[in-house]
Amino acid sequence: MARNKSLDPAVQQMIGKAQTMGIKTVWDRYQEMVPQCGFGETGLCCRHCLQGPCRIDPFGDEPKTGICGATADTMAARGLDRAIAAGTAAHAGHARHVAHTMIKMATGQAPAYSVKAPEKLRQVARRIGIPVDERDDNAIALDVARAAIADFHEKDTPVLWAATVVPPERVKVLSGLGIVPRGIDTEISDIMHRTLYGVDADPVNLLLAGLRCGLADLAGCYMGTDLSDILFGIPQPVATRANMGVLKADAVNIALHGHNPVLSDVIVAVSSEMEKDAKKAGASGINLVGVCCTGNEVMMRHGIPACTHSVSQETALLTGAVDAMVVDYQCIMPSVSQIADCMGSKVITTMENAKIPGAQHVGFKEEKAEETAREIIGIAIRNFTRRSGKPVDIPNITTRVVAGFSVEAIVGALSKVNPADPLQPVVDNVVSGNIRGVCLFAGCNNVKVPQDNNFVVMARKLLKENVLVIATGCGAGALMRHGLMDPANVESLCGEGIKAVLTAIGEANNLGGPLPPVLHMGSCVDNSRAVALAVAVAQKLGVDTSKLPVVASAAEAISEKAVSIGTYAVAAGLPTHVGVNVPVLGAPLVAKILTETVKDLTGGYFIVDLDPESAADKLLKAIDERRAGLGL
């Protein structure tokens, strides 16, 4: 049965269609794996050397160590560290790509790009100590990009995009623990070294290294956000729509999927000039839609509607209406090429490090960005001519979304309430209790959870309890598809305090109504925006981030990127919920450190709870503890 796989009726409709057609989706492949290895789920297996795989029985008498003598805690800590390193490598790779693009732009090698946010370029430059007076944009951008590249390598000074983005009090805490990153790549390499056979076997030492690598991930995320804003523009609130009803039967539908705006932003720019080619082929025009975080990037900057997210990416292709799914990297299921082949669609890979068997590869270089974008759109148009006239199956389901709440946009909106001191209204409403606290929802969907269920249940409960909810990544996608980013739903979703705040800000900005219940802050790397907002409020209050009534939740986490994000949230001092089993629960010491002991070190800690109602209660309790600590 297709029941209970997703809260999204559009996804449910496509799952039923796939079953009728005999096409396997991620849900079918998951069922084929059940029951899954209990040793692996609890972190008690290791195949890092060729003597294994080893497993430890958490219940029986033997074995109690791996062949090399590694204990359950060593095994689990090593596995967690490797996940943190992989997530850090992904976000850092994204940031490095944008930095190299900026270098090519500044040196005249990539004419498709320019500085779209000169004010942010100068703000970032000043923060990292680069002079800006009487210098042109390209000269400053070149120095900023070179400083970014330098942050990847070990040097005498700490990673700039870590040490300069948190309050001095937090730097002092992190320095005291020895976990300020020395270089982004350095920390990734260190994790791979220390988790090699026969190196670090001390679980505590391993976890401290994991925290340091998590802070390197913060640097990669923050860098990716900064540089993308400079090159592609600072997001501002934009009204658009989400879910599969944004596809158009009579248009050339191009789905932009992955995590990086370097190509997708150019495709958006070029698509308007190729409308005539699409119409000549018999289409009504070109219809761009987003999938996952590339979708978030083009949504918040250009209003491109979101088709679907994360675990349901295959279902977009099952409509038969997607002429090309253009992918860059990260979170792309290899199965999309197989389903595209069944449905007469094209999957086009574009990055050298992310090829998929069965997909068409169109290599991307920034120097020829516009030429590549035209080639890709041309492939989609030709595919439209092949499917033209054939039936499609597009669920007639969409929701209204107001997206694009960068920190700059939020401060700009608040300045209409208090021009002299924009953050004061936030402080006043936290003190009064209108804002009980803030929760960031981040991360993915996981096939083990009915899609979107944890996000929606938790967000609804927190909103009723006057918690300000912000969201990024596919967590934002989950909430937007269920109406939680539609201002019209504030009345039904929000408690009186949060309703008053959202309404007051909306009216002050002449919106004719409130801001949406949940504020969309961007893609996975844009969790850095949530950190920046927390830091700004902390500095306004004169306290460390660990004292704020701010919490985070990866309610349906799947990717190693979610692990590294959660790690830096804990390092920043935030109580951080994970809504699926984390593979450390079979290691008592490691589990205790992550959920209890680390609180005494950084102020943050993990909450692992698979029940969304219970998890929301625990986050509310954490918020209230923080409020009490501030005397509120």
Side-chain angles (χ1 to χ4, degrees):
M1 294 291 291
R3 211 168 34 194
N4 300 324
K5 302 291 196 305
S6 174
L7 294 192
D8 186 339
V11 172
Q12 282 294 134
Q13 182 177 327
M14 290 298 102
I15 293 173
K17 178 179 180 179
Q19 290 182 333
T20 300
M21 296 180 67
I23 295 175
K24 288 184 178 181
T25 65
V26 63
W27 289 276
D28 300 304
R29 296 189 296 273
Y30 169 64
Q31 286 301 319
E32 291 173 351
M33 295 294 166
V34 175
Q36 293 178 305
C37 173
F39 298 102
E41 281 204 324
T42 55
L44 300 185
C45 67
C46 175
R47 58 180 188 85
H48 295 165
C49 85
L50 300 182
Q51 296 176 126
C54 296
R55 68 179 186 273
I56 290 175
D57 187 346
F59 307 112
D61 293 329
E62 296 296 338
K64 289 301 179 187
T65 70
I67 293 168
C68 72
T71 64
D73 289 300
T74 297
M75 230 178 241
R78 284 174 174 171
L80 182 68
D81 272 7
R82 287 198 166 209
I84 295 168
T88 303
H91 287 136
H94 177 158
R96 177 162 33 210
H97 185 173
V98 183
H100 282 301
T101 301
M102 185 177 285
I103 289 172
K104 291 178 181 179
M105 179 276 299
T107 55
Q109 300 174 66
Y113 304 95
S114 62
V115 172
K116 297 283 178 56
E119 69 283 1
K120 183 148 191 176
L121 171 65
R122 282 162 171 73
Q123 177 256 316
V124 172
R126 290 188 186 98
R127 191 187 74 220
I128 62 175
I130 290 173
V132 299
D133 293 342
E134 299 181 5
R135 302 185 72 203
D136 65 29
D137 288 351
N138 281 0
I140 299 170
L142 184 60
D143 282 353
V144 167
R146 284 175 172 165
I149 295 299
D151 254 359
F152 286 89
H153 315 302
E154 186 170 3
K155 49 188 178 148
D156 293 334
T157 54
V159 170
L160 288 172
W161 265 268
T164 66
V165 302
V166 296
E169 299 87 352
R170 180 83 335 208
V171 174
K172 185 176 180 180
V173 169
L174 302 176
S175 297
L177 294 170
I179 58 173
V180 176
R182 302 153 295 180
I184 298 173
D185 285 351
T186 303
E187 302 308 339
I188 297 168
S189 176
D190 177 67
I191 289 294
M192 299 311 292
H193 180 193
R194 71 173 59 234
T195 58
L196 181 75
Y197 171 76
V199 188
D200 197 346
D202 183 335
V204 175
N205 202 43
L206 283 160
L207 292 176
L208 285 171
L211 283 170
R212 188 166 58 239
C213 192
L215 287 163
D217 186 56
L218 170 61
C221 287
Y222 218 110
M223 184 189 296
T225 297
D226 278 347
L227 303 188
S228 292
D229 281 357
I230 292 165
L231 281 181
F232 308 116
I234 299 170
Q236 297 294 327
V238 59
T240 183
R241 302 197 73 81
N243 219 321
M244 280 183 256
V246 303
L247 293 167
K248 299 176 181 178
D250 62 350
V252 177
N253 292 299
I254 302 175
L256 303 172
H257 181 12
H259 281 78
N260 192 323
V262 171
L263 172 60
S264 56
D265 208 87
V266 179
I267 289 177
V268 173
V270 168
S271 63
S272 59
E273 70 184 57
M274 293 189 70
E275 283 279 326
K276 61 183 183 301
D277 299 289
K279 291 177 179 177
K280 186 176 179 180
S284 62
I286 295 171
N287 182 42
L288 301 177
V289 300
V291 178
C292 289
C293 278
T294 289
N296 279 315
E297 296 277 4
V298 294
M299 170 181 271
M300 65 184 174
R301 292 192 175 93
H302 304 289
I304 301 299
C307 182
T308 196
H309 297 81
S310 194
V311 78
S312 56
Q313 60 190 263
E314 297 165 310
T315 62
L317 293 164
L318 286 165
T319 64
V322 175
D323 296 295
M325 178 178 276
V326 184
V327 304
D328 43 72
Y329 42 54
Q330 298 176 24
C331 299
I332 301 146
M333 295 182 189
S335 60
V336 291
S337 67
Q338 301 157 23
I339 293 179
D341 188 54
C342 291
M343 302 308 300
S345 299
K346 288 277 188 183
V347 171
I348 301 172
T349 59
T350 58
M351 301 298 170
E352 187 277 331
N353 67 343
K355 294 183 179 180
I356 299 173
Q360 181 173 349
H361 186 71
V362 177
F364 169 73
K365 297 292 183 185
E366 293 88 345
E367 294 87 343
K368 297 184 177 181
E370 291 183 347
E371 179 182 326
T372 304
R374 291 189 189 95
E375 181 181 356
I376 287 168
I377 295 172
I379 293 169
I381 292 172
R382 289 192 293 277
N383 201 62
F384 171 84
T385 63
R386 288 191 285 271
R387 78 159 174 92
S388 182
K390 296 178 182 177
V392 296
D393 186 11
I394 301 173
N396 186 25
I397 299 169
T398 65
T399 55
R400 182 170 182 256
V401 178
V402 176
F405 288 91
S406 60
V407 175
E408 291 86 349
I410 291 172
V411 172
L414 290 170
S415 70
K416 300 295 177 63
V417 179
N418 185 337
D421 193 354
L423 287 177
Q424 191 59 46
V426 175
V427 173
D428 291 342
N429 280 286
V430 170
V431 170
S432 72
N434 279 341
I435 299 176
R436 184 171 173 181
V438 180
C439 180
L440 164 68
F441 281 104
C444 339
N445 295 127
N446 189 312
V447 72
K448 294 179 178 180
V449 179
Q451 188 189 15
D452 303 340
N453 182 71
N454 288 2
F455 284 114
V456 172
V457 170
M458 293 180 69
R460 283 177 174 271
K461 186 165 189 173
L462 293 175
L463 286 168
K464 282 295 185 185
E465 295 292 336
N466 295 311
V467 174
L468 177 65
V469 176
I470 57 181
T472 60
C474 289
L479 296 173
M480 72 175 66
R481 293 197 309 279
H482 295 280
L484 279 82
M485 293 184 181
D486 183 350
N489 293 330
V490 165
E491 183 67 32
S492 61
L493 290 173
C494 296
E496 293 302 318
I498 257 322
K499 187 190 305 180
V501 173
L502 296 174
T503 301
I505 298 172
E507 289 178 349
N509 284 269
N510 299 315
L511 300 180
L515 299 182
V518 176
L519 302 184
H520 174 281
M521 294 198 82
S523 65
C524 287
V525 296
D526 293 328
N527 284 295
S528 58
R529 299 192 199 277
V531 173
L533 184 62
V535 167
V537 174
Q539 290 178 321
K540 174 68 179 174
L541 288 168
V543 299
D544 186 24
T545 48
S546 64
K547 306 298 183 184
L548 295 176
V550 177
V551 296
S553 174
E556 300 176 23
I558 179 174
S559 172
E560 291 159 315
K561 293 185 298 175
V563 179
S564 57
I565 291 168
T567 302
Y568 75 64
V570 168
L574 306 184
T576 301
H577 165 248
V578 183
V580 296
N581 273 326
V582 182
V584 298
L585 299 182
L589 176 63
V590 170
K592 184 176 182 180
I593 289 172
L594 294 174
T595 59
E596 298 178 26
T597 311
V598 71
K599 184 177 181 179
D600 297 326
L601 301 178
T602 71
Y605 54 95
F606 283 104
I607 300 166
V608 181
D609 194 333
L610 280 57
D611 182 291
E613 291 279 357
S614 170
D617 287 338
K618 289 175 182 175
L619 290 179
L620 287 168
K621 181 181 178 182
I623 285 170
D624 289 343
E625 286 175 355
R626 300 296 179 95
R627 290 184 63 85
L630 291 171
L632 303 177

